[in-house]
Amino acid sequence: MTDEVLGIFKTISEEVVPQADTLRELDAKIGDGDLGITVTRGMEAVIAGLKELEGTPVSNQLARSGMAFNRAAASTFGVLFATAMMRGGAAVKDREDVGASDVAAIGQAAMKGLMDRGKAKIGDKTLLDALAPAIEAFDKANAAGKSLREATGAAVAACETGTTATIEMQSRVSRAGWMGERSIGVQDPGATAVLFMLQAAQSWVNANSEPQTNGGL
Amino acid sequence: MTDEVLGIFKTISEEVVPQADTLRELDAKIGDGDLGITVTRGMEAVIAGLKELEGTPVSNQLARSGMAFNRAAASTFGVLFATAMMRGGAAVKDREDVGASDVAAIGQAAMKGLMDRGKAKIGDKTLLDALAPAIEAFDKANAAGKSLREATGAAVAACETGTTATIEMQSRVSRAGWMGERSIGVQDPGATAVLFMLQAAQSWVNANSEPQTNGGL
Amino acid sequence: MAMRKIINDPSLVEDQTVAGILAAFPDHLKRVEGSTRALIRADAPVAGKVGIATGGGSGHLPLFLGYVGQGLATGCCVGNVFSSPSAEDMLDVTKAIDSGAGVLYLYGNYSGDTMNFDMASEMAEMEDIIVKTTLGRDDVTSAPNEEMERRRGVAGIVFGFKIAGAAAEEGRDLDSVHAVAEKAVFNTRSMGVALSGTTIPAAGQPGFEVAEGQMELGMGIHGEPGVEIGPLLTADEIAGQMLDRILPDLPFSSGDAAAVLVNSLGATAPEELYILYNKASQILGDRGIKVHRAFIGEYATSMEMSGASISICKLDDELISLLDAPAYSPLLSQQLGR
Amino acid sequence: MAMRKIINDPSLVEDQTVAGILAAFPDHLKRVEGSTRALIRADAPVAGKVGIATGGGSGHLPLFLGYVGQGLATGCCVGNVFSSPSAEDMLDVTKAIDSGAGVLYLYGNYSGDTMNFDMASEMAEMEDIIVKTTLGRDDVTSAPNEEMERRRGVAGIVFGFKIAGAAAEEGRDLDSVHAVAEKAVFNTRSMGVALSGTTIPAAGQPGFEVAEGQMELGMGIHGEPGVEIGPLLTADEIAGQMLDRILPDLPFSSGDAAAVLVNSLGATAPEELYILYNKASQILGDRGIKVHRAFIGEYATSMEMSGASISICKLDDELISLLDAPAYSPLLSQQLGR
Ligand SMILES: Nc1ncnc2c1ncn2[C@@H]1O[C@H](COP(=O)(O)OP(=O)(O)O)[C@@H](O)[C@H]1O
Ligand SMILES: Nc1ncnc2c1ncn2[C@@H]1O[C@H](COP(=O)(O)OP(=O)(O)O)[C@@H](O)[C@H]1O
Ligand SMILES: [Mg+2]
Ligand SMILES: [Mg+2]
Ligand SMILES: [Mg+2]
Ligand SMILES: [Mg+2]
């Protein structure tokens, strides 16, 4: 896995940008309505930078893409995306060969980074509530020897459940936190963005991996 | 005729203020939309000042009422109203006894004042186009020995014709002048206000004068 | 009657605005006794100096009251929203600011104002106060160049206040202040574009509407119609069209120095003004016209109207030194001096 | 997609705004090399003086770029409309303004900004620049008094820029500038009301709507909801409700001196601000609170949003002298010094 990262980013861009308006609408309800623009501009910047990342280590590809996203579309989501990519990348630093089994370590490092940066807890109605169960499900499937495709499927399913669960939550942090009880009833926009991204990653995995094989892609 | 002037102003206020919205609408079309407010605030101020004008000479009643109107609702219409009243009043200055036959002199002096102040000509699509034919018709009827009621009726009829004629005119002065050809098709608001005022004066005359008598009221 | 306005009784808007200004800046302005609508510099009359009186309808802040101050106008009265102040108020201001050196009337060319100021100057003359008049008539879209005396005044009068005010502050006599005011006003050309109408509070409904996605090119600051109504263009196209009409009108030529004013009519955001200026400054640069100074913000508004205007004043050495002289008013969008 | 905005490509609004500001005031501001969104004082770094960096989303002019100037902030970067600038831009500004005396980050408490500024300060520390942070959190409606650290910043941060900027200009060290910035920010309480939403250009449609005849009490400057939505009240009622929440929160008491800021969110006209101030000054007078100085105009906007806010800063002798010290920025609604 070297330029696979780039392929995944391309797929994320292709599949998530068309859903930007859904994100804008959700963010307009309990935030400030910019998340659709953020994801669009951020992913455009990632894609624009991919060419010169070709063939470089995964850690660099992740970190540089994260920073490109935030520079073009800095925001809560942007800086969290950058943090996740930088910390995730750091987990496989200097490694030439990154395989599916490293995805778990990347995910955990990213989670830790997000919690350091945003100081939110699970249940605060943020993207953590979508990402944490996804990473956990992936780890579990991976540890149980499932294929990348199966582990990804489990992660996306858990992410969906986690994202849906944010609807009933009351936000306790950041912008939506100011709404208090009025934040209940709306699916968290950041969680939804994470879900869309993981769904896109899954599309890529399904198109590029063997149904049953574990290990390399 | 001493406090008759005050009665006429009261009737004008009662009958014209309810039509303020028509004036606002016309002025919004080819002016700035304030003529309804101008007439309302101006006539309110006239009425508020009437009490202390009781029993004073007609010239004073006219001049003071005109100034009160313009102070409360200064504007093109306001200053023209004030000018007409001041100049009209000056035509019967120091006269204790003002009769129907003086109305002609008052009207002519007012007309002259309006033309000095506004520097507009007949046909420029202004209130002059409503007032000039009215004064002329009144004079003619008066000279022909018609009753006040008849002369007033002739004046109002001529005023109606003059006002209607402004619809087809292109404005050449002031605010509506900037519209050029776009001013054609709308009845001049100031002319319309003059018509409403003369119609109200006619109501007063019909309620307070003998159908056939000329001379005193 | 729903308006998006923070007001009390609509008929009290004008008086409460004036009261709020006096409450906010009591060291700067004072009321002319007996008038609710006439305010003058706290130190007026200023001994030995020409007084400058201005005035016009309410609803245009910082015009007109905001231009009363050191190095600016000496006194001002305002009428109802979009309506002239009365000749009587003008006379009161005239008497209150005249130090014996005479008074310049400097205001925009609107019939209600001119007729009332003319009446006031007749009354002032009867009280032996010498009055001269300069009319702002900078809007190039309101009449062709040959009929300049019919043109209306818009935001460009700001240059008149700054320049005539500095001349009066220098101690020049009435003829000299009047002459330089005439030069400033004559050297200034403006054009505006409106993206919405505005609602006179006492009327309760918009006098004029501009549909979303449309614009009125050349609309005046009370909603007077302009040259044409059409689809909303881009900022660059708007700046281009404005300069295409403004620059040949004086004309402004390569090598000229100029002051540029990009003015919001109210709702248009500062961001948009800078986007307009960005293009305007490129066009001026391409034509060889040097911007001596840029003013960008709210200088002459129509309450919540959406739209903007550009005014350009051609400068010579005299105008430059007067434009750069100090001036102060706490109501202004940007201090006019250095 | 019809918006009442004078712009070009919606995705270029931010860059073209910054370009327009630079074109208008080239003697005042300069760009940090390599960044389109980071501007600093033309004379930065200022030898021996603490640098003050601020930043936040575009769409709030004169916030944030307008507060860069002598006696104010030293540098600034802006993000997309209503979005934070990036940590990298912040780092660039930090490096460009640090004279060795350290840098104060002074900005509003929004998660995108705090997370990016935090990341920037971590990076700055790695380059041996000492950074301290003060957050504007003046909006009393955004969280109860006990959870003050969650409150968002609105227009009240203006007092922070003025006071911290004057302290830095005096040559105080970073700890002292930080301490007085904390005092200014802590002593300031604000509340806003919105009568309409606003449209992010790149989104093309309003993120929030307030029906005509309604108002949102406590709405934030990006349209974040407030305490309640209800029928539009009169100016006097609105001023009363705002002060009823602001005054007990610090609390402000009889005998206190205060600075008062009445701010338009964009479309609300100056006339309405003065009507609000007229009532507010009466209430403050009745409560024995002395207004040392009033600021009225556009200080922190949300593009064409209709609405207004009131901010009050309790002053002691130190704050008064810093508030009254000279300051200059050509973008400001009213010069902040005397
Ligand atoms: N402290 C936090 N930790 C983790 N995620 C957060 C935090 N605060 C907000 N978020 C996420 O960020 C999303 C909003 O992102 P974005 O629109 O970029 O925010 P903003 O516009 O307020 O900067 C929220 O829906 C939520 O999922
Ligand atoms: N120069 C003029 N001479 C006579 N009447 C005029 C003149 N200019 C305008 N008017 C009249 O004034 C009317 C408008 O009055 P008003 O609404 O008070 O004007 P504004 O709002 O422009 O001050 C016009 O409809 C016209 O009848
Ligand atoms: Mg958002
Ligand atoms: Mg009118
Ligand atoms: Mg008018
Ligand atoms: Mg945002």
Side-chain angles (χ1 to χ4, degrees):
Chain A
M1 171 163 144
T2 51
D3 288 356
E4 285 80 354
V5 169
L6 310 187
I8 294 173
F9 279 136
K10 271 193 200 129
T11 312
I12 289 178
S13 173
E14 278 157 24
E15 297 195 5
V16 179
V17 171
Q19 299 180 87
D21 210 51
T22 306
L23 300 175
R24 184 194 60 72
E25 259 178 48
L26 290 172
D27 193 35
K29 281 190 185 131
I30 58 168
D32 59 353
D34 62 355
L35 190 59
I37 302 162
T38 296
V39 167
T40 304
R41 289 190 179 181
M43 287 311 302
E44 272 169 11
V46 169
I47 298 306
L50 287 186
K51 191 89 203 140
E52 60 184 55
L53 298 178
E54 270 174 22
T56 70
V58 168
S59 61
N60 183 58
Q61 293 176 335
L62 291 174
R64 293 276 298 278
S65 296
M67 285 163 72
F69 186 111
N70 190 46
R71 179 138 217 175
S75 55
T76 303
F77 191 86
V79 68
L80 290 172
F81 185 88
T83 302
M85 293 300 142
M86 288 163 78
R87 296 289 196 94
V92 291
K93 191 145 194 256
D94 298 331
R95 289 264 309 284
E96 284 290 314
D97 190 28
V98 177
S101 54
D102 292 305
V103 173
I106 294 176
Q108 275 153 358
M111 256 318 275
K112 171 102 184 24
L114 292 176
M115 298 188 76
D116 288 350
R117 177 65 62 221
K119 300 183 187 72
K121 299 185 303 295
I122 302 291
D124 280 353
K125 189 174 184 128
T126 70
L127 52 83
L128 300 181
D129 297 311
L131 193 59
I135 292 173
E136 202 181 313
F138 188 95
D139 281 3
K140 219 166 123 187
N142 190 55
K146 305 278 182 172
S147 71
L148 176 63
R149 183 181 286 214
E150 287 166 326
T152 304
V156 169
C159 187
E160 270 164 13
T161 310
T163 301
T164 310
T166 63
I167 298 176
E168 295 308 319
M169 294 177 185
Q170 174 173 339
S171 173
R172 313 225 166 261
V173 294
S174 302
R175 208 161 232 130
W178 298 320
M179 294 199 69
E181 294 182 358
R182 290 160 81 179
S183 66
I184 298 173
V186 178
Q187 182 166 300
D188 181 66
T192 309
V194 166
L195 174 62
F196 289 171
M197 287 183 168
L198 291 191
Q199 285 169 337
Q202 182 182 30
S203 300
W204 186 90
V205 167
N206 289 348
N208 291 281
S209 71
E210 294 304 312
Q212 302 303 339
T213 330
N214 197 357
L217 301 173
Chain B
M1 170 162 146
T2 52
D3 289 355
E4 285 80 354
V5 169
L6 310 188
I8 294 173
F9 279 135
K10 270 191 201 130
T11 311
I12 289 177
S13 173
E14 279 157 23
E15 297 193 6
V16 179
V17 171
Q19 300 180 86
D21 210 52
T22 306
L23 300 175
R24 184 194 61 70
E25 258 177 51
L26 290 173
D27 193 34
K29 281 191 186 130
I30 59 168
D32 60 353
D34 63 354
L35 189 59
I37 302 163
T38 296
V39 167
T40 303
R41 289 191 179 180
M43 287 312 301
E44 272 168 12
V46 169
I47 297 304
L50 288 187
K51 188 92 205 137
E52 60 185 57
L53 298 178
E54 269 173 23
T56 70
V58 167
S59 62
N60 182 58
Q61 291 175 338
L62 291 174
R64 294 277 297 277
S65 295
M67 286 164 71
F69 186 110
N70 189 47
R71 179 139 215 174
S75 56
T76 303
F77 191 86
V79 68
L80 290 172
F81 185 88
T83 302
M85 294 300 142
M86 288 163 77
R87 295 290 195 93
V92 290
K93 190 141 195 260
D94 300 330
R95 289 265 306 284
E96 284 292 311
D97 189 32
V98 177
S101 55
D102 292 305
V103 172
I106 294 175
Q108 276 153 357
M111 258 313 281
K112 171 103 185 17
L114 291 175
M115 299 189 75
D116 287 350
R117 177 66 61 219
K119 302 182 186 74
K121 299 185 302 294
I122 301 291
D124 280 352
K125 190 176 183 123
T126 69
L127 52 81
L128 300 181
D129 298 310
L131 193 60
I135 293 173
E136 201 179 314
F138 188 95
D139 282 4
K140 218 167 125 190
N142 190 55
K146 305 278 178 169
S147 70
L148 176 64
R149 183 181 287 215
E150 286 166 328
T152 305
V156 169
C159 187
E160 270 165 12
T161 310
T163 302
T164 310
T166 64
I167 298 177
E168 293 311 317
M169 295 178 185
Q170 173 173 340
S171 173
R172 314 225 166 258
V173 294
S174 303
R175 209 162 230 127
W178 297 320
M179 294 199 70
E181 293 182 0
R182 290 159 81 180
S183 66
I184 298 173
V186 178
Q187 183 166 301
D188 181 65
T192 309
V194 166
L195 173 62
F196 289 171
M197 287 183 169
L198 292 191
Q199 284 170 336
Q202 182 181 31
S203 300
W204 186 91
V205 167
N206 288 348
N208 292 279
S209 71
E210 295 303 311
Q212 302 303 336
T213 329
N214 197 355
L217 300 174
Chain C
M1 187 179 90
M3 295 182 275
R4 294 196 204 268
K5 287 188 199 275
I6 302 178
I7 57 171
N8 298 302
D9 181 339
S11 72
L12 297 177
V13 162
E14 298 89 351
D15 286 343
Q16 292 185 337
T17 298
V18 172
I21 290 174
L22 274 175
F25 310 118
D27 302 340
H28 177 70
L29 293 169
K30 67 185 178 197
R31 209 190 274 277
V32 177
E33 219 174 312
S35 168
T36 46
R37 303 286 184 80
L39 300 186
I40 58 176
R41 272 171 61 169
D43 60 352
V46 190
K49 305 216 164 140
V50 167
I52 300 178
T54 187
S58 288
H60 301 302
L61 283 176
L63 210 64
F64 292 88
L65 287 164
Y67 294 92
V68 176
Q70 271 164 40
L72 298 165
T74 327
C76 173
C77 52
V78 289
N80 295 330
V81 170
F82 294 178
S83 286
S84 168
S86 70
E88 282 176 277
D89 278 327
M90 292 165 180
L91 179 65
D92 289 346
V93 169
T94 310
K95 293 199 284 190
I97 65 173
D98 179 44
S99 68
V103 172
L104 176 72
Y105 284 174
L106 176 55
Y107 60 94
N109 187 28
Y110 291 90
S111 58
D113 300 300
T114 52
M115 292 184 201
N116 274 286
F117 269 107
D118 284 351
M119 192 185 249
S121 79
E122 289 163 19
M123 295 190 284
E125 269 166 36
M126 298 197 309
E127 309 208 15
D128 292 323
I129 300 174
I130 310 166
V131 171
K132 293 208 160 218
T133 294
T134 292
L135 291 177
R137 6 172 100 134
D138 46 311
D139 186 344
V140 296
T141 66
S142 52
N145 191 296
E146 314 79 67
E147 295 176 49
M148 201 167 303
E149 70 294 340
R150 282 215 298 121
R151 286 185 175 171
R152 61 191 170 224
V154 290
I157 196 168
V158 168
F159 295 123
F161 292 135
K162 180 66 192 72
I163 286 164
E169 205 74 39
E170 273 184 3
R172 297 196 193 184
D173 68 16
L174 181 59
D175 282 340
S176 169
V177 173
H178 178 246
V180 82
E182 289 285 322
K183 179 160 72 171
V185 156
F186 178 79
N187 278 11
T188 302
R189 303 298 152 100
S190 304
M191 178 167 163
V193 57
L195 280 60
S196 83
T198 184
T199 299
I200 298 178
Q205 43 189 299
F208 308 87
E209 311 232 26
V210 180
E212 212 161 309
Q214 298 279 106
M215 67 173 200
E216 174 107 25
L217 208 69
M219 189 187 243
I221 57 172
H222 316 91
E224 298 90 352
V227 285
E228 69 186 41
I229 196 150
L232 176 55
L233 301 176
T234 67
D236 286 358
E237 289 164 341
I238 291 170
Q241 295 217 8
M242 285 177 170
L243 294 194
D244 277 352
R245 282 173 185 268
I246 288 173
L247 296 182
D249 197 84
L250 185 57
F252 295 84
S253 319
S254 181
D256 283 350
V260 179
L261 172 71
V262 183
N263 173 57
S264 169
L265 292 176
T268 290
E271 285 77 6
E272 299 165 62
L273 303 181
Y274 286 105
I275 293 173
L276 271 178
Y277 181 73
N278 192 38
K279 183 67 182 181
S281 72
Q282 283 163 19
I283 297 172
L284 292 170
D286 290 348
R287 307 264 184 111
I289 297 162
K290 194 191 160 318
V291 179
H292 172 70
R293 204 146 166 221
F295 299 91
I296 297 168
E298 292 192 357
Y299 290 87
T301 65
S302 295
M303 299 183 291
E304 76 287 358
M305 188 184 284
S306 177
S309 64
I310 294 182
S311 302
I312 306 188
C313 177
K314 177 171 163 175
L315 301 173
D316 59 17
D317 290 346
E318 180 187 33
L319 296 183
I320 285 179
S321 83
L322 293 168
L323 192 68
D324 287 346
Y328 178 76
S329 159
L331 284 88
L332 285 186
S333 214
Q334 179 182 329
Q335 288 310 303
L336 295 175
R338 288 224 187 243
Chain D
M1 187 179 87
M3 294 182 276
R4 293 196 205 268
K5 287 190 201 274
I6 301 176
I7 57 173
N8 297 302
D9 181 339
S11 71
L12 296 178
V13 163
E14 298 89 352
D15 286 344
Q16 292 185 336
T17 299
V18 172
I21 290 173
L22 273 174
F25 310 119
D27 301 340
H28 177 69
L29 293 168
K30 66 183 177 197
R31 210 190 272 275
V32 177
E33 218 174 311
S35 168
T36 46
R37 302 286 184 83
L39 300 187
I40 59 177
R41 271 171 61 168
D43 60 352
V46 189
K49 304 218 165 140
V50 168
I52 300 178
T54 189
S58 289
H60 302 301
L61 283 176
L63 208 67
F64 293 88
L65 287 164
Y67 294 92
V68 177
Q70 269 165 40
L72 298 165
T74 328
C76 174
C77 51
V78 290
N80 295 330
V81 170
F82 294 178
S83 287
S84 168
S86 71
E88 283 175 277
D89 278 327
M90 291 165 182
L91 179 65
D92 289 346
V93 169
T94 310
K95 292 199 285 190
I97 66 173
D98 181 44
S99 68
V103 173
L104 177 72
Y105 285 175
L106 177 55
Y107 61 95
N109 187 30
Y110 291 89
S111 57
D113 299 301
T114 52
M115 293 184 200
N116 274 287
F117 269 107
D118 284 352
M119 192 183 248
S121 79
E122 289 163 18
M123 297 190 283
E125 268 166 37
M126 298 197 307
E127 308 208 16
D128 292 323
I129 300 174
I130 310 166
V131 171
K132 293 208 160 220
T133 293
T134 292
L135 291 177
R137 9 171 97 133
D138 46 312
D139 186 345
V140 296
T141 66
S142 52
N145 191 294
E146 315 79 66
E147 295 176 50
M148 200 167 302
E149 71 293 341
R150 283 215 295 122
R151 286 184 175 171
R152 61 191 169 226
V154 289
I157 196 167
V158 168
F159 294 123
F161 292 135
K162 180 66 192 71
I163 286 165
E169 204 75 38
E170 272 184 3
R172 295 197 195 186
D173 68 15
L174 182 58
D175 282 340
S176 169
V177 173
H178 178 245
V180 81
E182 288 286 321
K183 179 159 74 172
V185 156
F186 178 80
N187 278 11
T188 302
R189 305 297 153 100
S190 303
M191 177 166 166
V193 59
L195 281 60
S196 85
T198 183
T199 299
I200 298 178
Q205 43 189 299
F208 308 86
E209 311 233 27
V210 180
E212 212 161 309
Q214 298 279 105
M215 67 172 198
E216 175 107 26
L217 208 68
M219 190 186 240
I221 57 172
H222 315 93
E224 299 89 353
V227 286
E228 69 185 43
I229 195 150
L232 177 56
L233 301 177
T234 67
D236 286 358
E237 289 163 342
I238 291 170
Q241 294 216 11
M242 286 178 169
L243 294 194
D244 277 351
R245 283 171 183 269
I246 288 173
L247 297 182
D249 196 84
L250 185 57
F252 296 83
S253 319
S254 181
D256 284 351
V260 179
L261 172 71
V262 182
N263 173 57
S264 168
L265 292 176
T268 290
E271 285 77 7
E272 299 166 61
L273 303 181
Y274 287 104
I275 293 173
L276 270 179
Y277 180 74
N278 192 37
K279 183 65 182 182
S281 72
Q282 282 163 20
I283 297 173
L284 292 170
D286 290 348
R287 306 264 186 112
I289 298 163
K290 193 190 163 321
V291 179
H292 172 69
R293 204 145 165 221
F295 299 90
I296 297 169
E298 291 193 357
Y299 289 87
T301 64
S302 294
M303 298 184 292
E304 76 287 358
M305 188 183 283
S306 176
S309 63
I310 294 182
S311 302
I312 306 189
C313 178
K314 178 172 161 173
L315 301 172
D316 58 16
D317 290 346
E318 181 188 31
L319 296 184
I320 285 178
S321 83
L322 293 168
L323 191 68
D324 287 346
Y328 178 76
S329 159
L331 284 89
L332 286 185
S333 211
Q334 179 182 331
Q335 288 311 302
L336 295 174
R338 288 224 187 244

